[in-house]
Amino acid sequence: MRKPTIAHDELHIAHSAKEDGGICLQLLNIGFGSMVSAERLLAVVSPDSAPIKRIVQEGKERGTAIDATYGRKTKAVLIMDSDHIVLSALTPEVLAARLNGEEPAGRDERDG
């Protein structure tokens, strides 16, 4: 099996190819070089509501929360099918655009 390659770097999506040419894994760049499996993603939500804050706190207590913000403010919470919670400094709108293969207008992690 070949190493994962960045097929659409400008779209922030990486693919790993099977030997027969099929795609077996789609990775979503969630900011600062961190990626998650798009197939395992259940929801991308804003961290502002009380229920989401409780989910994040419970994930931290159980050890299933993954902080990929690199010290920045959490702007999106990714809920994975493995019961993990991933925190991202990118907005849900930016992540949704990246999932759809679009490049959203505005700032990203390189803009500081």
Side-chain angles (χ1 to χ4, degrees):
M1 187 156 163
R2 294 183 280 177
K3 288 185 175 182
T5 58
I6 304 298
H8 303 289
D9 186 39
E10 67 278 0
L11 301 178
H12 306 281
I13 297 175
H15 301 277
S16 176
K18 291 182 182 177
E19 289 181 16
D20 65 2
I23 295 173
C24 65
L25 180 65
Q26 182 181 17
L27 298 174
L28 171 65
N29 183 337
I30 60 168
F32 309 101
S34 298
M35 297 191 178
V36 297
S37 173
E39 290 87 9
R40 308 288 308 265
L41 183 62
L42 296 177
V44 179
V45 295
S46 172
D48 299 329
S49 72
I52 300 302
K53 288 179 182 178
R54 279 194 296 273
I55 289 171
V56 170
Q57 186 59 41
E58 289 171 6
K60 287 180 179 180
E61 290 170 1
R62 287 190 321 226
T64 58
I66 301 168
D67 188 347
T69 62
Y70 287 82
R72 290 168 176 80
K73 181 180 177 187
T74 299
K75 294 183 183 174
V77 177
L78 291 79
I79 301 173
M80 310 302 289
D81 68 356
S82 62
D83 204 29
H84 284 84
I85 305 299
V86 182
L87 309 178
S88 175
L90 301 182
T91 65
E93 293 79 16
V94 169
L95 295 172
R98 288 182 177 188
L99 263 175
N100 291 325
E102 303 165 3
E103 182 59 37
R107 297 168 49 108
D108 69 6
E109 74 270 10
R110 293 176 301 240
D111 294 326

